[in-house]
Amino acid sequence: NPPRAREGALATVKMAAPKRKLSNGQREASGKRGASGRPAAQEAAGGSAGERPGNQFVEGSIVRIKMENFLTYDSCEIFPGANLNMIVGANGTGKSSIVCAICLGLAGKTSFIGRGDKVGLYVKRGYNKGYIELELYRRPRNLIVSREISVLNNQSVWQINEEHATQKMVEEQTSALNIQVGNLCQFLPQEKVGEFAKMSKIELLEATEKSVGPPEMYKFHSDLKNYREKEKELENTCKEKSAALEKMKQRNERNEQDVQRYYERQRHLDKIKMLERKRPWVEYEVARQEHEEVKGVRDQLKQELKVLKEAQAPMTRKIQAVERQCREQEAKTKEKGTEMKKIIQECKQKQDYLERKDKEVEEVQQRLRMKNDEEIDRQKRISNTKKMIEDLQNELNATMNYDHVQPEIEQISSALRKVQQDKGAVDSEKIDLRREKENLEKEKKNVMANIKRLEDMMHIKEASLRNRFKDTYNAVLWLRQNRNRFRGHIYEPIMLELNMKDSRNAKYIENHIPMNDMRAFVCVNMDDMGVFLSEVRDKQRLKVNAVCAPSTSAAGRQPTRPIQELQTYGFVSYLRELIDAPEPVMSYLCDQHRVYDVPIGTSKTKMMIEKVINETQLRQIYTGEERYTVKKSVYSNKIISSNTQLRDARFLTVKVDAEGRRRLEDQAKEVTTNLHEVETRLDEFSEKQRQLERKDNELRTKKKELLEMKSRRRQLEQKISTKNDSLKQMEMDAINLEVEERKANVKMKAIYAQKAKLVSELTQLIRSCLTLNMEKVGLVLENTSLTYQKNRLETECKESAAEQKMKEKQYAELDEKKRRLLNMCKERMKAARQTCGLDPNQNDIPPELMTAFQSLPNTLDEIDASLNEEKSRASCFTGLNSSVVDEYKRRKQEIENLSEELNRKKSELENYKLNISQVKERWLNPLKQLVEQINEKFSEYFRSMQCAGEIDLHTDNEEEYDKYGIRIRVKFRSSTQLHELTPHHQSGGERSVSTMLYLMALQELNRCPFRVVDEINQGMDPTNERRVFEMVVRAACKENTSQYFFITPKLLQNLTYANNMTVLCVYNGPHMLPPGKWNLKAFFRRRRRVQVHN
């Protein structure tokens, strides 16, 4: 970020009188005011076209620079000269601020400067807006560009000649004046000096073309690169298309014979198709002729049948009358049969009723037999029960009295109660122990879950370390397996050992502790650190850092001021209070990074930051989003501060409570021990419970035996009583068989009466059926007589009917044949139309088909023979289909298209080659001349320094225009060879000299209106610095050269100066006059008075 001066510091630029050359007297400073109130330089280059002899501004040169609230300046206006401008001032006074103003004021990007990335950072701290105004020399009227920068939104407001404009309009104006603030050959800020030597040959050529070449040179170069790319594309395209064209021609030549065979086969197939079309029409004609013949025979037979039918009409009427009488008799017979079926059905129902009555009689008799059987069974059971009572009574008489076992039973019962009490006590103890075990297991599960959660968080931190620093992670794994090799403890990388109390504060720690320390291992023993680094660095080739904790702990150091005193400024804590870490790690952080003395502020701190910096004298401060570093100026003893934006935290956002983890591990060990003790006690009580169970079972068995002996007599008495009750019940359940037999006889008598009635009804129905049957027989006999009469009549006319039937049969057959032939004709006509693709209503054959049919056979046999012959010929052409012809035609068309396209591409390629040849001649020859001119100046400058240097146009392939570049080769010692200028081969001073001399070689050739070089002499030794300075003065102070800005913090003594150079001295301090009170004439008068007094 760019330096930002503290509030109240005034930076002023004044134009001093140029220093004398040894042969010249003192002249008045170029910064004096003209008649119009503006400096003379401005008047000479201003709105009028007036000229100043020997000091003419080049079109696009900077006439005036004005800054307000910009970086170190409150308000400042600068009037540079037309030639060399030396801007001199101590570090931090604001020299580079002028460079920033030139770049940003001419629509340059912040990346060109290499400082802050946001334009709002270039506004002086404490102000919301900054202002830049640049006046550029241009005829007939100067160009004034102004830019107002807003801090809040990083936006700018542009004006051109006091009229609103856009950044694009400013860029167009500066481009028209050939101002290129992004070209290092024209604009070389302090932060970009090192990048000039890092430029590749290709980049240097492009920058040189833009800077000193004719306007069209870089365009020609770009066109050549584009043309060459297109030429290569066209060459490749032509090669590919030529190869493809040749392949397609070869393939078509191979397929041409197949195509001819296909066409021969197609001719045979066309004839087959035409024969197949004619065949249905011939079939139709054959069928039509046959239909006409059958139709004539059928009509003749129909006439003969009509004559026969008229001769047989009287006989037929008699037969029909007899047939009507037969049908009437058959109807009457059918009615009688229906009545008989109805009566027969009623008879069947009566017979079913009689069968059911027989079954009812059978059921009554069966129930009576069952009663007899029940009574016999009851008598048997009574006899058996009496015998059992007698046996039980005998056993009861033989059983003795067991009243003497009662005391022993009571004693056993008492012992059982004692055992039950012991068992209850054991069960209670086991329940308590089980409950305690469950609680311990739950506690252990919770503790292990918490430990796993902490381990998961630790794994996240380790994964982050593995992804970013694989070598450090591998070293951690090795350390965990080899801790026994060290005398003291080696702590894992600080980023793993640190634990944030609040992960939201992780960004402060990560911005405060460098990443090299964050991934460093912390050793408490110096020898251990040596062994560790020897193993992981030397043997395993791992890129690992390690540090040693201080021998005297610094973890307890107290801050310079208690945090309570800083709370009024919005501070809430020191960095140390935000983290937990092992004592050696904390000691190292306190010793090296003073985490105990760096406070964390809030938005309140940000709002009063100037007051905080001036009053607290803190060296480092953190606010919500920024870090402030405070230093004291070695020039003015004033406080200088800089601020940087805080990066977001990446590694410490995961919070792992290390102390809590240790407590959890101790708790887990304690719970495991208690759990083991409880399980041991549970096993003891289980064994005691098993002993009590065995004793309880023994006592219960013995008690059961005694109780059974005592209860045997009582059981026998109860059984005897039960059997007596049962015997009484059986005697009460006796059955009276005589009563049951009388009831059965009454039921059977009623059933027999019902059967007699049913038999009488059935007899009557049978008689009715016989009467109907006799009537039916009479009707059948009458019908038989009529049938005989009918048969006799039919026999009489049988002879004439036979001839009629034969003719009817023939007529039916002919009619059926005519119908079939008619359908056949229709089907063959339909098939013929479909085969030829005719309309269903079209009966005539089209003329073209008739013409084609005339050359074909007219009979089916001839057509079939011709079809077989053509099919046989067509079958000889196997393996061919239309795709061969389609592909042949398609490929033939592709060959024609590709040939046309290839010719177009070749023509286009020739045009590109012609364009390249023309553009190359217009680009390369002037470029070689330009490079030669630069080389002459460059070599001359190096020879004047007793060194050697040359530049040349370098390329490996003349046709690869994007590989052309300018190669700089130098040597600073006579014993060495010329070496290419690279960021690694030469020293920093040698690179600075080479860069400066190259820029000087461009000076006289330059098309750009001004050049800026910032502190390029910093790395030079005094000899080279003096030589380079003299060359700059000579080259930049020639007439008709572009304007030159040379920024330096120091100058050697007794340097040579030119009359038309301007020295701008930048002062910064608490006693500076405001810009409005600066009076150069008054200073000269005061100086003369002092000289007179002296």
Side-chain angles (χ1 to χ4, degrees), residues 423-441:
K423 284 175 64 178
V426 170
D427 288 341
S428 177
E429 288 290 338
K430 284 186 70 176
I431 291 171
D432 293 341
L433 287 173
R434 285 196 188 98
R435 189 177 295 112
E436 185 177 357
K437 180 181 178 182
E438 290 175 357
N439 293 335
L440 288 172
E441 286 176 343

Short mmCIF file of all heavy atoms in Angstrom, two decimals, residues 423-441:
data_model
loop_
_atom_site.label_atom_id
_atom_site.label_comp_id
_atom_site.label_asym_id
_atom_site.label_seq_id
_atom_site.Cartn_x
_atom_site.Cartn_y
_atom_site.Cartn_z
N LYS A 423 -31.14 -62.84 49.60
CA LYS A 423 -31.24 -62.64 48.15
C LYS A 423 -31.71 -61.21 47.83
O LYS A 423 -31.22 -60.57 46.88
CB LYS A 423 -32.21 -63.64 47.54
CG LYS A 423 -31.63 -65.04 47.43
CD LYS A 423 -32.67 -66.03 46.93
CE LYS A 423 -33.11 -65.71 45.53
NZ LYS A 423 -34.08 -66.69 45.01
N GLY A 424 -32.69 -60.71 48.60
CA GLY A 424 -33.17 -59.35 48.36
C GLY A 424 -32.06 -58.33 48.56
O GLY A 424 -31.94 -57.37 47.78
N ALA A 425 -31.25 -58.55 49.59
CA ALA A 425 -30.14 -57.62 49.83
C ALA A 425 -29.13 -57.66 48.68
O ALA A 425 -28.64 -56.62 48.22
CB ALA A 425 -29.46 -57.97 51.16
N VAL A 426 -28.84 -58.90 48.23
CA VAL A 426 -27.88 -59.04 47.11
C VAL A 426 -28.45 -58.39 45.84
O VAL A 426 -27.74 -57.68 45.11
CB VAL A 426 -27.55 -60.53 46.87
CG1 VAL A 426 -26.76 -60.69 45.57
CG2 VAL A 426 -26.76 -61.10 48.04
N ASP A 427 -29.75 -58.63 45.57
CA ASP A 427 -30.37 -58.03 44.39
C ASP A 427 -30.33 -56.51 44.47
O ASP A 427 -30.07 -55.81 43.46
CB ASP A 427 -31.82 -58.48 44.26
CG ASP A 427 -31.90 -59.95 43.83
OD1 ASP A 427 -30.90 -60.46 43.31
OD2 ASP A 427 -32.96 -60.57 44.03
N SER A 428 -30.59 -55.97 45.65
CA SER A 428 -30.56 -54.51 45.81
C SER A 428 -29.16 -53.96 45.53
O SER A 428 -29.00 -52.95 44.83
CB SER A 428 -31.01 -54.15 47.23
OG SER A 428 -30.92 -52.76 47.43
N GLU A 429 -28.15 -54.69 46.09
CA GLU A 429 -26.77 -54.25 45.83
C GLU A 429 -26.44 -54.32 44.33
O GLU A 429 -25.79 -53.42 43.77
CB GLU A 429 -25.79 -55.12 46.63
CG GLU A 429 -25.80 -54.89 48.12
CD GLU A 429 -25.21 -53.53 48.49
OE1 GLU A 429 -24.44 -52.99 47.68
OE2 GLU A 429 -25.54 -53.00 49.57
N LYS A 430 -26.89 -55.42 43.68
CA LYS A 430 -26.60 -55.56 42.25
C LYS A 430 -27.30 -54.47 41.42
O LYS A 430 -26.73 -53.95 40.47
CB LYS A 430 -27.05 -56.94 41.77
CG LYS A 430 -26.12 -58.06 42.19
CD LYS A 430 -26.53 -59.39 41.58
CE LYS A 430 -26.28 -59.41 40.10
NZ LYS A 430 -26.59 -60.70 39.49
N ILE A 431 -28.54 -54.14 41.79
CA ILE A 431 -29.26 -53.08 41.08
C ILE A 431 -28.51 -51.76 41.21
O ILE A 431 -28.32 -51.01 40.23
CB ILE A 431 -30.69 -52.95 41.61
CG1 ILE A 431 -31.51 -54.18 41.20
CG2 ILE A 431 -31.36 -51.68 41.10
CD1 ILE A 431 -32.87 -54.26 41.85
N ASP A 432 -28.04 -51.46 42.44
CA ASP A 432 -27.29 -50.22 42.64
C ASP A 432 -26.02 -50.22 41.82
O ASP A 432 -25.65 -49.20 41.20
CB ASP A 432 -26.96 -50.04 44.12
CG ASP A 432 -28.20 -49.80 44.95
OD1 ASP A 432 -29.25 -49.40 44.35
OD2 ASP A 432 -28.18 -50.03 46.17
N LEU A 433 -25.32 -51.40 41.81
CA LEU A 433 -24.07 -51.48 41.05
C LEU A 433 -24.33 -51.38 39.56
O LEU A 433 -23.55 -50.75 38.82
CB LEU A 433 -23.34 -52.79 41.37
CG LEU A 433 -22.69 -52.87 42.76
CD1 LEU A 433 -22.15 -54.26 43.03
CD2 LEU A 433 -21.56 -51.84 42.87
N ARG A 434 -25.42 -52.03 39.10
CA ARG A 434 -25.72 -51.92 37.66
C ARG A 434 -26.04 -50.48 37.28
O ARG A 434 -25.64 -49.99 36.22
CB ARG A 434 -26.92 -52.81 37.31
CG ARG A 434 -26.59 -54.30 37.26
CD ARG A 434 -27.67 -55.07 36.55
NE ARG A 434 -27.49 -56.50 36.65
CZ ARG A 434 -28.09 -57.30 37.51
NH1 ARG A 434 -28.98 -56.76 38.39
NH2 ARG A 434 -27.85 -58.59 37.54
N ARG A 435 -26.80 -49.81 38.16
CA ARG A 435 -27.12 -48.40 37.88
C ARG A 435 -25.84 -47.56 37.86
O ARG A 435 -25.65 -46.70 36.99
CB ARG A 435 -28.08 -47.89 38.96
CG ARG A 435 -28.64 -46.49 38.63
CD ARG A 435 -29.63 -46.04 39.68
NE ARG A 435 -30.82 -46.88 39.69
CZ ARG A 435 -31.14 -47.71 40.69
NH1 ARG A 435 -30.36 -47.78 41.77
NH2 ARG A 435 -32.24 -48.44 40.64
N GLU A 436 -24.97 -47.86 38.81
CA GLU A 436 -23.68 -47.13 38.82
C GLU A 436 -22.87 -47.44 37.57
O GLU A 436 -22.24 -46.55 36.97
CB GLU A 436 -22.89 -47.52 40.07
CG GLU A 436 -21.59 -46.73 40.23
CD GLU A 436 -20.86 -47.09 41.52
OE1 GLU A 436 -21.41 -47.91 42.31
OE2 GLU A 436 -19.76 -46.57 41.72
N LYS A 437 -22.88 -48.72 37.13
CA LYS A 437 -22.14 -49.10 35.91
C LYS A 437 -22.72 -48.39 34.69
O LYS A 437 -21.97 -47.89 33.84
CB LYS A 437 -22.23 -50.61 35.72
CG LYS A 437 -21.51 -51.11 34.48
CD LYS A 437 -21.64 -52.61 34.33
CE LYS A 437 -20.95 -53.09 33.05
NZ LYS A 437 -21.11 -54.54 32.85
N GLU A 438 -24.07 -48.34 34.58
CA GLU A 438 -24.69 -47.65 33.46
C GLU A 438 -24.30 -46.18 33.44
O GLU A 438 -23.99 -45.61 32.38
CB GLU A 438 -26.20 -47.80 33.52
CG GLU A 438 -26.70 -49.21 33.24
CD GLU A 438 -28.20 -49.35 33.44
OE1 GLU A 438 -28.82 -48.33 33.85
OE2 GLU A 438 -28.75 -50.44 33.22
N ASN A 439 -24.31 -45.55 34.63
CA ASN A 439 -23.93 -44.14 34.70
C ASN A 439 -22.49 -43.93 34.27
O ASN A 439 -22.17 -42.98 33.54
CB ASN A 439 -24.14 -43.61 36.12
CG ASN A 439 -25.61 -43.56 36.50
OD1 ASN A 439 -26.49 -43.47 35.62
ND2 ASN A 439 -25.92 -43.64 37.78
N LEU A 440 -21.61 -44.86 34.74
CA LEU A 440 -20.20 -44.75 34.36
C LEU A 440 -20.01 -44.97 32.86
O LEU A 440 -19.19 -44.30 32.22
CB LEU A 440 -19.36 -45.77 35.14
CG LEU A 440 -19.17 -45.46 36.64
CD1 LEU A 440 -18.50 -46.63 37.34
CD2 LEU A 440 -18.34 -44.19 36.83
N GLU A 441 -20.74 -45.94 32.30
CA GLU A 441 -20.61 -46.18 30.85
C GLU A 441 -21.11 -44.98 30.05
O GLU A 441 -20.52 -44.60 29.03
CB GLU A 441 -21.41 -47.43 30.47
CG GLU A 441 -20.73 -48.73 30.92
CD GLU A 441 -21.58 -49.94 30.62
OE1 GLU A 441 -22.79 -49.75 30.37
OE2 GLU A 441 -21.06 -51.07 30.66
#
